[in-house]
Amino acid sequence: MEYVHAYIEFPEGITKDELKLDIYDFLADQMFLLVSRQNCRIMLDYAENYDIQTSVPNVGYLYKFYAQQMTKAAPDKYCVIFSNLRNFKYINETGGTRTGDEVLIKFAHSLVSYVDDDECVCRMGGDNFVMLIKQKNLDKFIEKLECWEITGINSAPDKTFDITAWMGITRLTTDDVPIRVRIEQSSIACSFGKHQLKKRVVFYDEQLAGMLRRSREITALFHPAVTKHEFTPFFQPKVNMLTGELIGMEALCRWKHDGKYIFPDQFIPILDQQGLTHELDMAILNETCRAIKKWLDMGLNPPRVSFNISRKNLFIPHIEEIILDIIKSNNVSTDRLEIEITETAKEDEIDRLISFLATLKKNGLQIAIDDFGTGYSSLSLIHNINADIIKIDKSFISALDSNSKSSVLVKTIIQIADRLDMDVIAEGVETADEGKALIDMGCINAQGYYYSKPVDFDSITEIIKNNGFSPIL
Ligand code: C2E
Ligand code: CA
Ligand code: CA
């Protein structure tokens, strides 16, 4: 109990009743200050250790917990998991933020009650959580986080929310690495899995550290490589399988560095994450236009050439004008070009995608939806995009003979294209049998190793001169 000793001087001439009132006022103020100070202290103590929104521990608590735990156990008994919820944005968007908040709080509490007393869960803000888990419980925990069911939400009592997470994991060792660094490493692994590897669970290990070094190297080498014209398009034929005729080509970038070719899967995901793909795409478009011009100057009549555009480019200011300017400055007619872009389900991208493609189409370019069937495009989106061509993803083609579901899907895609008055082409056709199966299903256009891998300017020029290949027998 704290006592307040107050000495107050009152002005002369004050009445007894007024004096009483002033003393009450004064005491009330003092009481209020004391209680507030006490509350502030409690709140500060709390905020140092707990997350205000969910009231589960925060990272400050985890640091203390770890230090305490290390007095009783060796670090290599543990691992650090950094997790980022995969579908939380979707819950917020569909259910509203109130439901989103409730789900987050409930999930946070169920995480805390799931782990053992000598383990710890903390919230890092947003939909990020860090867990200090015993290595022997790791597999069980990863499996649990594949689909964590949350029910009993006040604003959506009948609904079950399936939470799943991206996870970056660092196994602790007896080396003296601070826990803060371990959390950072796990966070890097989580982000790399989410953005580049598209893998739900990624361990921070020597291999990943090597990939990160490579990623930094690629980023540093990129601009000098653009200046030195190290990026060139290779061209892959598109063929009418019934006649063997060359009906188009796709420009696919290759990076010639130190005398060796580097393939797109080794640098495009990195450039994409760094927001650099538009520079690459514009360089490839420029080289593609120059190639078309050369063919025309040689007296050849090349079929339409497609080029790829990363969806991240949609948010580059005036990207449509930049594309059209490149084509114009090379004196190439836009109807000689086709743009390939993948599907999207992201709200903020859909409107932008529609207006972007509408402008290019209005200016004479053909529009192809790339890797069709692997994204989340709705039928109405395909309709709104007003695309000309659907490219069936190669994963369906390679599974054609072994998987009957694939052939049902391929048939359905062909029918959709037909109903919407769009052309269809199959990617990744590697064998005559795949080609024949596609023809039977109603798709006569193909691109794939069966005809040719992507080849350099001189080799594709020979193919243009021969006007293609023999028909599939
Ligand atoms: P994509 O646009 O789906 O291109 C088709 C990829 O499939 C190419 O790989 C091609 O070589 C490969 N392919 C073609 N036929 C077959 C086949 O029969 N079997 C197999 N297994 N593969 C086949 P590539 O050239 O390595 O390109 C990979 C991806 O990189 C492309 O996939 C595209 O997403 C991206 N990419 C390539 N060039 C560019 C570019 O200039 N800009 C952008 N943004 N992305 C590009
Ligand atoms: Ca493509
Ligand atoms: Ca493709």
Side-chain angles (χ1 to χ4, degrees), residues 231-258:
F231 293 101
T232 45
F234 267 37
F235 300 91
Q236 189 176 31
K238 298 179 185 178
V239 184
N240 175 324
M241 292 188 282
L242 290 178
T243 61
E245 186 197 356
L246 183 69
I247 52 151
M249 303 172 249
E250 176 174 6
L252 292 153
C253 71
R254 298 291 181 265
W255 183 354
K256 197 170 184 187
H257 184 68
D258 280 347

Side-chain angles (χ1 to χ4, degrees), residues 250 308 340 370-371 391 393-394 427:
E250 176 174 6
N308 292 277
E340 294 195 8
D370 205 355
D371 304 342
K391 296 192 77 180
D393 189 62
K394 56 179 175 293
E427 291 186 311

